[in-house]
Amino acid sequence: MARVLKTKKLENTRLATNYGGWMYCDKCNENIGYLCYSTYDKVELNYLCNCGSVGRALLDFEDSKDGKACKEELIIIKNRFCCPKDQEPLITILDKKVASYEMKITCKSCSQIYKKEKK
């Protein structure tokens, strides 16, 4: 069953589909990452693309639960940031395509809010 978006705010960013898939910078059309469709509850991403464009994405769903802050780190499996509890992939950020980013992503299965940044 498809999820119903509550919030979808994209700035200088586009997604391949409604709430997931490949993510692109609107200015240079470069692929900056991949957002896994079914494993996240909320994502907040702010980034500086290598082309100089500042992009933002905020997405969550009608059935999203309030996340719980945690100090755990996302794990990396095959270049994907994954939940350390169930090893489900959440998001991929292509480091070579972005100069910097800040991200908060909530795992749908464990409701933990994970933070990651590159400066």
Side-chain angles (χ1 to χ4, degrees):
M1 183 170 96
R3 299 181 77 190
V4 178
L5 279 168
K6 179 172 74 175
T7 309
K8 181 178 182 179
K9 294 181 182 176
L10 302 175
E11 185 177 317
N12 299 322
T13 304
R14 74 178 189 287
L15 296 172
T17 63
N18 193 28
Y19 55 83
W22 294 108
M23 299 181 295
Y24 298 90
C25 170
D26 266 350
K27 183 176 178 186
C28 67
N29 290 317
E30 283 290 333
N31 177 346
I32 58 120
Y34 185 87
L35 182 58
C36 299
Y37 296 90
S38 60
T39 56
Y40 78 95
D41 236 4
K42 181 177 182 178
V43 64
E44 296 176 64
L45 174 66
N46 298 305
Y47 67 91
L48 175 62
C49 183
N50 286 340
C51 74
S53 178
V54 174
R56 292 182 176 79
L58 170 62
L59 295 103
D60 68 352
F61 301 92
E62 293 290 336
D63 64 348
S64 290
K65 297 174 181 66
D66 289 335
K68 300 173 285 237
C70 74
K71 295 189 189 294
E72 288 184 77
E73 292 284 325
L74 292 164
I75 59 173
I76 297 175
I77 301 173
K78 295 183 181 176
N79 88 338
R80 298 179 184 122
F81 291 118
C82 301
C83 174
K85 297 195 182 323
D86 61 12
Q87 299 181 353
E88 286 289 330
L90 296 169
I91 192 169
T92 300
I93 303 293
L94 300 174
D95 274 349
K96 63 185 177 197
K97 302 288 180 88
V98 294
S100 63
Y101 66 86
E102 291 180 351
M103 173 187 63
K104 288 195 303 189
I105 191 162
T106 306
C107 177
K108 184 179 176 191
S109 65
C110 72
S111 298
Q112 298 288 316
I113 301 170
Y114 297 100
K115 295 179 182 179
K116 189 76 179 163
E117 68 180 56
K118 171 189 173 186
K119 293 187 178 194

